[in-house]
Amino acid sequence: MKAHVISIGMVDKIDKVHYVEFGLGVNIITGKSSTGKSAILEIFDYCMGSSENNIPHGKITQHGTWFFTILSLNLKYLVVARNLFDDSRYINEVSVAPNPKDIDSSYFKEEYQIRDKKKFNPELGRYFNLTIDDIEEDLEDREYRKNNARKGRPSIRNIMPFLLQHQNLIANKHAIFYRFDENKKREDTIDQFKIFVGFVKGEYFSLKQQLSNLIREKKAIERLITKNESEESIRIARIKSILDVYFATTNTPLFLEQKATAEYIYQNHKRYLRFIADKNFNTNNDTVTDGTNDNSLVDFNTLLDSRVDLEAKKRTLLHKALDVERTINYTETVFIPSASKSSDAFIVNPK
């Protein structure tokens, strides 16, 4: 977007126009103090929808009625004006640049006036291609705002700190914008700067939202992969444990294939589940339907019963041994000390 200011001026109470013209490139305004140099920027800001009237009080505000700005914009011309008394605002796009000398109060026709100031800034922004409603780069960010509020749409007012650079900017390497009295406005201006200078359009934010969603989906898939890998390790370990228990119980591998490791079984589990379902035991002759003969399960149960009987006998013998030990301890405590007191207590006379 190519744009520059052609003129800034005012119409006074007697319908006389006062204006300053500008050319392409750098324009330098000089003059004595209190001659209205500072008022030029404030008039421009006032015409561009400022909520406050910062035009210096004096002859300009005493005599002025309409303040206007003429801009060259996208090979056309935009006239923006504002009435000092009733605050009515004026916007009109024309194909031929108006001559400031021909402007008076009758120029600002009613049909191009906007009385509702809430509609003025969005309408003015439309001429600067500020038509993007949704500037969210990540839709989840709304969840952290009060009432899930959306980001404010780009406003012509947020571009003003960029357009109206302070006169000390040349000597201050740290300053990019000025008029940052409000923290929210500063954040909005910095955030929307890429829109104002034409770096991005509406498609940018749509793509950024899609990218944010894809990044979240990627992270979710990565978490799922990690979880599945963990669960896979647990399941493989469980299969290995079952194979080991079966072999210890039957002294025969559950699957005779050498490749039937726990990992291979997990990867081909449907095949092995069908194999197990078909491998039914015949309880009449202790054989399996695939022709193998294995009495190990019966022997194992017999051994378990024997173990229970042996453990019961062991407990009985332990109790008896404990009784004998107690008797010995009692005898050593009571009788042996008494015998030591009488030397002939246990002497047997010979015949």
Side-chain angles (χ1 to χ4, degrees):
M1 178 179 66
K2 295 186 65 176
H4 73 274
V5 178
I6 293 178
S7 62
I8 297 175
M10 60 166 275
V11 177
D12 63 20
K13 295 178 180 179
I14 60 174
D15 254 3
K16 185 177 180 181
V17 64
H18 309 267
Y19 62 92
V20 177
E21 291 185 299
F22 301 93
L24 292 173
V26 178
N27 291 261
I28 299 174
I29 301 173
T30 62
K32 296 181 180 180
S33 298
S34 302
T35 56
K37 297 188 304 297
S38 299
I40 295 175
L41 281 183
E42 299 300 345
I43 292 173
F44 177 82
D45 193 27
Y46 183 66
C47 292
M48 299 294 285
S50 174
S51 59
E52 298 178 358
N53 180 3
N54 293 315
I55 301 173
H57 293 287
K59 291 184 178 180
I60 294 177
T61 54
Q62 290 174 4
H63 300 283
T65 56
W66 280 97
F67 294 90
F68 66 87
T69 297
I70 302 175
L71 303 99
S72 171
L73 187 66
N74 297 330
L75 303 179
K76 291 188 177 182
Y77 302 93
L78 186 67
V79 181
V80 184
R82 189 169 175 179
N83 190 285
L84 183 64
F85 298 103
D86 62 10
D87 202 35
S88 57
R89 296 135 194 255
Y90 174 95
I91 303 177
N92 187 19
E93 186 180 54
V94 294
S95 57
V96 179
N99 189 338
K101 295 180 180 179
D102 299 331
I103 293 178
D104 56 20
S105 58
S106 64
Y107 180 86
F108 307 105
K109 300 184 183 302
E110 182 75 21
E111 58 187 293
Y112 298 109
Q113 293 184 23
I114 299 176
R115 300 288 179 177
D116 187 350
K117 60 183 180 181
K118 292 182 179 180
K119 296 180 179 180
F120 177 78
N121 288 346
E123 177 64 17
L124 181 59
R126 185 172 64 83
Y127 294 98
F128 290 86
N129 294 325
L130 300 180
T131 57
I132 304 173
D133 291 326
D134 188 358
I135 62 171
E136 297 282 4
E137 296 186 11
D138 189 344
L139 293 176
E140 278 197 359
D141 289 344
R142 293 180 185 172
E143 298 178 6
Y144 301 97
R145 302 193 196 107
K146 186 176 181 181
N147 298 326
N148 293 325
R150 298 176 58 173
K151 275 189 175 182
R153 60 177 294 174
S155 169
I156 190 66
R157 294 307 307 161
N158 291 340
I159 201 176
M160 300 314 293
F162 175 64
L163 296 179
L164 303 179
Q165 297 291 348
H166 195 271
Q167 60 185 347
N168 293 329
L169 177 65
I170 297 175
N172 186 353
K173 64 180 181 180
H174 303 291
I176 298 178
F177 305 107
Y178 95 115
R179 296 188 178 185
F180 274 158
D181 299 331
E182 300 177 16
N183 183 60
K184 181 66 170 59
K185 187 173 183 179
R186 177 174 66 251
E187 292 177 354
D188 288 344
T189 301
I190 295 173
D191 189 38
Q192 297 170 12
F193 177 74
K194 53 184 172 287
I195 302 173
F196 300 148
V197 295
F199 291 161
V200 300
K201 296 182 179 179
E203 294 82 1
Y204 166 83
F205 298 99
S206 177
L207 292 174
K208 284 289 288 186
Q209 291 174 13
Q210 295 177 35
L211 176 61
S212 299
N213 290 334
L214 290 174
I215 290 174
R216 272 193 297 274
E217 291 176 7
K218 176 176 176 288
K219 290 181 178 179
I221 292 172
E222 290 173 346
R223 289 194 297 269
L224 184 60
I225 291 173
T226 302
K227 180 181 178 182
N228 289 341
E229 289 176 347
S230 177
E231 292 179 353
E232 179 179 320
S233 300
I234 294 172
R235 288 168 182 163
I236 291 174
R238 177 61 177 158
I239 293 173
K240 186 177 186 304
S241 175
I242 292 172
L243 295 175
D244 292 342
V245 170
Y246 184 88
F247 182 81
T249 303
T250 65
N251 199 31
T252 303
L254 179 58
F255 305 109
L256 298 179
E257 298 175 314
Q258 291 184 352
K259 64 180 180 180
T261 62
E263 292 83 358
Y264 187 81
I265 293 170
Y266 177 80
Q267 294 170 0
N268 302 274
H269 59 278
K270 291 184 179 180
R271 174 194 170 197
Y272 286 94
L273 285 173
R274 286 194 299 268
F275 181 84
I276 292 174
D278 295 337
K279 191 174 182 178
N280 296 319
F281 285 89
N282 187 329
T283 57
N284 293 328
N285 56 12
D286 297 326
T287 60
V288 292
T289 56
D290 61 358
T292 61
N293 187 3
D294 190 359
N295 296 323
S296 298
L297 285 176
V298 177
D299 294 341
F300 180 73
N301 292 331
T302 302
L303 290 173
L304 283 178
D305 294 338
S306 300
R307 179 181 176 183
V308 172
D309 294 338
L310 289 173
E311 287 181 346
K313 292 178 181 179
K314 178 182 177 181
R315 285 194 295 271
T316 301
L317 291 173
L318 285 175
H319 287 307
K320 289 182 179 181
L322 184 60
D323 290 340
V324 171
E325 185 177 357
R326 288 174 179 170
T327 302
I328 292 172
N329 291 336
Y330 180 77
T331 302
E332 290 176 348
T333 303
V334 175
F335 291 101
I336 292 178
S338 299
S340 62
K341 293 179 182 179
S342 175
S343 59
D344 60 346
F346 293 94
I347 297 176
V348 178
N349 292 324
K351 293 182 179 180

